[in-house]
Amino acid sequence: QVQLVESGGGLVQAGGSLRLSCAASRSIFSIRSMGWYRQAPGKQRELVATITSGGSTNYADSVKGRFTISRDNAKNTVYLQMNSLKPEDTAVYYCNADSWVIYWGQGTQVTVSS
C-alpha cells in the first residue's frame, strides 16, 4: 500500500509557473513508474507525464517542452514543474503510482487564467 498526497496547485496567470509535489507514504525506490494525470471538467482523465524507477520519462505532446517530471527517492516525492502555463492546462492534477497495483492521490486543482 502507498498513500499519495499532492500539493502545489493554485491559481496562476497564463505564462506563469507552478511546481506540483506528490509525497508518498513509503519508499518509492522500487515503484516501477510514477506519474501525473489531469482531468478537466467534462473531460476524461489524461496522462501528463510519467517517470520510471530508472528515470525514463514520457510526456503528453501537449506539455512537451513546458513540463518536467522528476523524482527524489530520498524524499519519497515526485515533482511536476510546469512552465509557460496555458488556460487549457486548467484541471485537477492527480499523482499516480504503478507498483503493479495502481494508486492515486486525491488531486490538486490547477487554474490558469488568461
Side-chain angles (χ1 to χ4, degrees), residues 31-114:
I31 295 178
R32 64 179 184 174
S33 179
M34 297 195 68
W36 289 93
Y37 290 70
R38 67 186 181 188
Q39 187 166 18
K43 294 188 176 182
Q44 288 189 330
R45 191 172 297 188
E46 63 177 5
L47 179 146
V48 176
T50 60
I51 185 167
T52 68
S53 57
S56 297
T57 58
N58 179 53
Y59 295 93
D61 287 343
S62 59
V63 307
K64 281 181 181 176
R66 299 189 298 124
F67 292 9
T68 302
I69 188 170
S70 61
R71 61 194 287 167
D72 186 335
N73 290 339
K75 295 183 178 180
N76 299 330
T77 301
V78 175
Y79 303 97
L80 185 68
Q81 178 67 43
M82 305 187 294
N83 299 327
S84 303
L85 282 161
K86 305 175 181 180
E88 51 263 44
D89 294 318
T90 295
V92 178
Y93 283 70
Y94 297 91
C95 181
N96 163 283
D98 179 0
S99 188
W100 288 272
V101 176
I102 304 298
Y103 300 94
W104 292 96
Q106 82 287 352
T108 185
Q109 177 70 47
V110 172
T111 303
V112 184
S113 64
S114 57

